[in-house]
Amino acid sequence: MSTVARARCQAKAHPLAMDAVLALAVLLCMVAGSFVEPRHRDSVSWALRTPDPLSLLLMTLGAAALVFRRRAPMTVLAVTGTLSVIESVTGDPRTPVAMSAVVALYTVASTTDRPTTWRIGLLTMAVLTGSAMAAGPLPWYAQENLGILAWTGIGATAGDAVRSRRAFVQAIRERAEKAERTREEEARRRVAEERLRIARDLHDVVAHHIALVNVQAGVAAHVMDKRPDQAKEALGHVREASRSALNELRATVGLLRQSDDPAAPTEPAPGLDRLDELTGTFRNAGLHIEVARADQDTTLPAAVDLAAYRIIQEALTNVQKHAGPQAKAEVSVVRVGPNIEITVLDDGSGEHEDRPAHEDGGGHGLLGMRERVTALRGTLTTGPRYGGGFRVHAILPLKNRTPTGEDPA
């Protein structure tokens, strides 16, 4: 931290102490200036002289009032202005008591609005200059009288300039904070939309299997002939429980849907068996894709199958949007032990290299991928490739596991 920045921090932390230091500095300047005796004809004499006790008292009171300039700027201006008027009328030769009034006027101008600054500034200049010209010991056209007019104008102008700069900086800061809040709200909205889509997909998968259980239980209740009474009673419970679960799931997802959302699709949820169809749509759009599969015809759980399909779909969409029209993509699906690994690479060719470097830097599609992978206790890695391009790598376990890594059984 620089010396100037450190001084500003200390000034904000201890404003009264800083005002006391300023008051002492103003007092020293006024006392030093009181030793200059002006000659109105040919020269200025720098001979030492001792100010009269009244002038020393007025200078001390004016400087002491500046200690409270932040707490009561108007009152301090009135006090220092009154002391300056007294000095202008009684001082012979005059001492620079008006310096404290100039500092007080600067404080008022820097803490109020521009119309108030104009009114207070003009009033202060008129009173101080008018009293010095009308009742002072010097001629009305003396340079000291014009100096009072100039210094009070400078104090008001400088204070107004400081206030304007503070307002400008504050406006910039507020716009930046508002833009940041807007980005955060947009990110939350996109994540909420993605979660809603996940809930719909979950409904499609689970509801499909529960409906099958319901149908099979109903068939079994009619065809089983061993211990028919107990079998029918047990199957009846299964049927009723599956129907209740289906209704509860439909009601839960219905709470997530908006009133204007389209109805849930009745076709099966997509999976890797439709990977060729998915890549074909991107090829028709002009994207060059190479697909490699080494999953040994593994039968994936419905949730894992759907998540793998959605990850590839979103990754290829990002390639088409961000990597440029000449980009090439590679998709691989590999079975590695108890996991299925999905990798989507692109060479990053083209003019659009503005996608985020990782999932936390933007890109709501990447947030959606992470939501899906986290729900299955998998891992997702995304980021730029060495030499250009982008890489999406997901590891999805074929069996659902608890957070501790153990099987539910």
Side-chain angles (χ1 to χ4, degrees):
M1 183 181 294
S2 63
T3 305
V4 177
R6 189 180 298 108
R8 289 179 178 177
C9 293
Q10 293 177 355
K12 292 180 179 180
H14 306 285
L16 188 62
M18 297 304 297
D19 287 340
V21 172
L22 175 64
L24 179 60
V26 172
L27 177 60
L28 293 177
C29 292
M30 289 190 296
V31 172
S34 65
F35 286 96
V36 179
E37 182 179 0
R39 301 294 185 186
H40 304 294
R41 290 183 178 271
D42 300 327
S43 63
V44 176
S45 175
W46 294 89
L48 295 178
R49 68 179 179 86
T50 303
D52 57 78
L54 179 59
S55 297
L56 290 175
L57 177 62
L58 295 176
M59 287 186 289
T60 302
L61 293 177
L66 294 179
V67 178
F68 308 98
R69 67 187 186 94
R70 297 178 193 262
R71 297 185 177 181
M74 290 292 186
T75 303
V76 172
L77 177 59
V79 171
T80 55
T82 302
L83 296 175
S84 300
V85 171
I86 295 175
E87 173 62 21
S88 298
V89 175
T90 61
D92 187 17
R94 187 181 303 165
T95 55
V97 180
M99 184 177 181
S100 60
V102 172
V103 176
L105 179 59
Y106 164 85
T107 304
V108 171
S110 64
T111 55
T112 58
D113 55 342
R114 180 162 294 173
T116 303
T117 300
W118 274 95
R119 291 193 297 268
I120 299 299
L122 292 176
L123 178 62
T124 303
M125 286 188 291
V127 171
L128 296 185
T129 307
S131 61
M133 289 182 175
L138 300 176
W140 68 269
Y141 53 86
Q143 294 181 358
E144 288 80 1
N145 297 335
L146 299 179
I148 294 177
L149 177 65
W151 279 109
T152 51
I154 292 174
T157 304
D160 184 72
V162 170
R163 179 199 57 78
S164 299
R165 183 181 180 279
R166 289 175 182 171
F168 177 74
V169 173
Q170 182 64 24
I172 293 178
R173 185 180 293 110
E174 290 176 356
R175 285 198 296 267
E177 293 174 354
K178 183 178 180 180
E180 183 66 23
R181 289 194 301 267
T182 302
R183 284 193 295 268
E184 293 176 355
E185 292 172 358
E186 178 67 14
R188 287 193 295 267
R189 185 182 67 83
R190 293 294 184 89
V191 171
E193 291 176 355
E194 182 62 24
R195 286 176 176 170
L196 179 57
R197 190 169 74 167
I198 293 173
R200 290 171 179 167
D201 292 339
L202 181 63
H203 171 271
D204 298 335
V205 173
V206 179
H208 174 69
H209 291 286
I210 292 180
L212 291 178
V213 171
N214 187 30
V215 173
Q216 294 297 331
V219 173
H222 290 289
V223 300
M224 280 191 173
D225 50 7
K226 292 182 179 182
R227 296 183 181 181
D229 294 335
Q230 294 181 5
K232 288 183 179 181
E233 182 179 359
L235 291 175
H237 289 311
V238 171
R239 185 176 185 177
E240 184 65 27
S242 62
R243 183 184 293 111
S244 299
L246 182 62
N247 292 335
E248 290 180 4
L249 179 61
R250 185 180 294 112
T252 302
V253 178
L255 292 176
L256 296 175
R257 288 196 172 100
Q258 302 293 332
S259 59
D260 56 349
D261 284 343
T266 57
E267 62 180 7
L272 292 181
D273 57 337
R274 298 174 57 181
L275 181 58
D276 294 338
E277 178 184 348
L278 174 64
T279 55
T281 58
F282 285 97
R283 289 192 181 100
N284 294 334
L287 182 63
H288 180 75
I289 304 176
E290 295 182 0
V291 180
R293 299 191 62 172
D295 48 352
Q296 292 82 33
D297 298 328
T298 303
T299 301
L300 302 179
V304 177
D305 198 17
L306 175 62
Y309 179 89
R310 293 300 189 196
I311 290 171
I312 296 174
Q313 182 185 41
E314 183 62 37
L316 292 178
T317 301
N318 287 341
V319 173
Q320 189 176 37
K321 288 170 58 179
H322 301 291
Q326 304 300 325
K328 296 180 181 180
E330 299 177 7
V331 178
S332 65
V333 181
V334 181
R335 169 73 182 271
V336 181
N339 302 320
I340 191 79
E341 295 191 9
I342 309 297
T343 306
V344 180
L345 308 175
D346 68 81
D347 56 6
S349 62
E351 300 177 355
H352 304 287
E353 292 293 340
D354 56 348
R355 75 181 111 179
H358 53 82
E359 61 271 15
D360 295 331
H364 304 289
L366 298 180
L367 292 176
M369 293 185 197
R370 181 163 295 280
E371 291 277 345
R372 291 182 181 275
V373 174
T374 303
L376 298 175
R377 308 296 181 187
T379 58
L380 177 69
T381 305
T382 62
R385 300 173 60 192
Y386 179 77
F390 204 77
R391 177 177 181 267
V392 176
H393 181 68
I395 302 177
L396 304 176
L398 298 179
K399 293 183 179 180
N400 293 330
R401 295 184 178 272
T402 62
T404 59
E406 300 177 353
D407 290 333

